[in-house]
Amino acid sequence: SQTIHQWPATLVQPVGSPLSLECTVEGTSNPNLYWYRQAAGRGLQLLFYSVGIGQISSEVPQNLSASRPQDRQFILSSKKLLLSDSGFYLCAWLGGHGYTFGSGTRLTVV
Amino acid sequence: AQSVAQPEDQVNVAEGNPLTVKCTYSVSGNPYLFWYVQYPNRGLQFLLKYITGDNLVKGSYGFEAEFNKSQTSFHLKKPSALVSDSALYFCAVRDISDSNYQLIWGAGTKLIIKP
């Protein structure tokens, strides 16, 4: 069966520090992968999506970047975090019945 | 432009009563429609989807939703609410002509079931 792993679950980082969040998928190949941010516990904002290795589409210009170094790995990064980067980050892949989400990472920038 | 509206920010229902969480959509072509549920500090979980066929779709945890093309709605329903149904619910739509399979999300509705 297909599973999606996302880590870490929580992260507290100082302003100006770098960020790396990782997402991996098991049990499928060449998945469409997505990074979302959920601010204030409500609406979902699509940040990046990838349809294949090295292929990244950005939906919102901002302080973040994404990479897909392997077929089932999707990484969200930042060189210097801002306070406004705080939020709940969700990775997802597109399966047969729609999206399957990871368990999320709660990022607090202090 | 494609959009999804969840007009209620919060819905309060007494345990045992029926519940409805509303969703309307706008797409240029035919829609695929989804409902997801999110518990605190967790990822979203798939509840149900409408692709084609019967307008009444049954999903997880006793939920169902009815696709109404004329009203462009896809309301989520449950005949008898449980306290454990309290969560954040998201409606989403995809235009079947979108080759990137991206979903357009509603803002979410917080469902509170009171004992």
Side-chain angles (χ1 to χ4, degrees):
Chain A
S1 63
Q2 300 92 350
T3 56
I4 182 168
H5 303 279
Q6 187 181 341
W7 67 91
T10 59
L11 193 58
V12 180
Q13 292 283 98
V15 169
S17 63
L19 172 73
S20 181
L21 302 181
E22 188 163 345
C23 172
T24 59
V25 180
E26 295 179 358
T28 186
S29 60
N30 197 31
N32 283 11
L33 296 173
Y34 303 80
W35 276 111
Y36 281 91
R37 178 168 60 198
Q38 187 178 29
R42 197 51 77 99
L44 293 168
Q45 179 186 34
L46 178 62
L47 300 176
F48 302 94
Y49 69 93
S50 172
V51 299
I53 296 174
Q55 300 179 62
I56 307 296
S57 295
S58 174
E59 290 296 303
V60 182
Q62 56 201 326
N63 187 42
L64 302 170
S65 62
S67 61
R68 188 162 174 182
Q70 300 181 41
D71 181 44
R72 286 169 282 184
Q73 184 184 33
F74 202 25
I75 298 173
L76 182 70
S77 304
S78 174
K79 292 182 179 178
K80 291 184 177 181
L81 283 169
L82 306 172
L83 287 174
S84 58
D85 292 323
S86 293
F88 192 51
Y89 289 82
L90 291 160
C91 179
W93 74 279
L94 182 64
H97 63 220
Y99 284 26
T100 299
F101 285 85
S103 54
T105 296
R106 173 74 58 192
L107 172 65
T108 304
V109 182
V110 295
Chain B
Q2 301 177 76
S3 65
V4 176
Q6 292 182 243
E8 301 152 318
D9 189 61
Q10 181 171 309
V11 171
N12 298 302
V13 178
E15 186 177 26
N17 283 1
L19 69 88
T20 298
V21 182
K22 296 180 180 177
C23 173
T24 59
Y25 67 91
S26 174
V27 296
S28 56
N30 291 320
Y32 288 167
L33 293 154
F34 302 83
W35 276 102
Y36 287 83
V37 60
Q38 185 182 31
Y39 298 100
N41 293 310
R42 303 291 297 276
L44 277 70
Q45 297 178 34
F46 170 81
L47 275 181
L48 51 80
K49 67 177 178 180
Y50 171 81
I51 302 297
T52 187
D54 193 347
N55 289 343
L56 184 63
V57 179
K58 294 187 182 298
S60 306
Y61 312 122
F63 284 93
E64 60 187 27
E66 186 167 12
F67 171 59
N68 187 318
K69 188 173 183 178
S70 63
Q71 297 185 10
T72 61
S73 67
F74 191 56
H75 301 331
L76 181 70
K77 299 182 180 184
K78 187 173 182 179
S80 179
L82 300 173
V83 173
S84 58
D85 293 329
S86 298
L88 187 58
Y89 290 80
F90 289 95
C91 180
V93 66
R94 175 166 83 83
D95 189 322
I96 62 173
S97 62
D98 179 1
S99 59
N100 286 323
Y101 306 102
Q102 291 190 48
L103 295 185
I104 307 299
W105 295 89
T109 297
K110 187 174 184 179
L111 178 63
I112 298 177
I113 309 300
K114 298 182 178 179

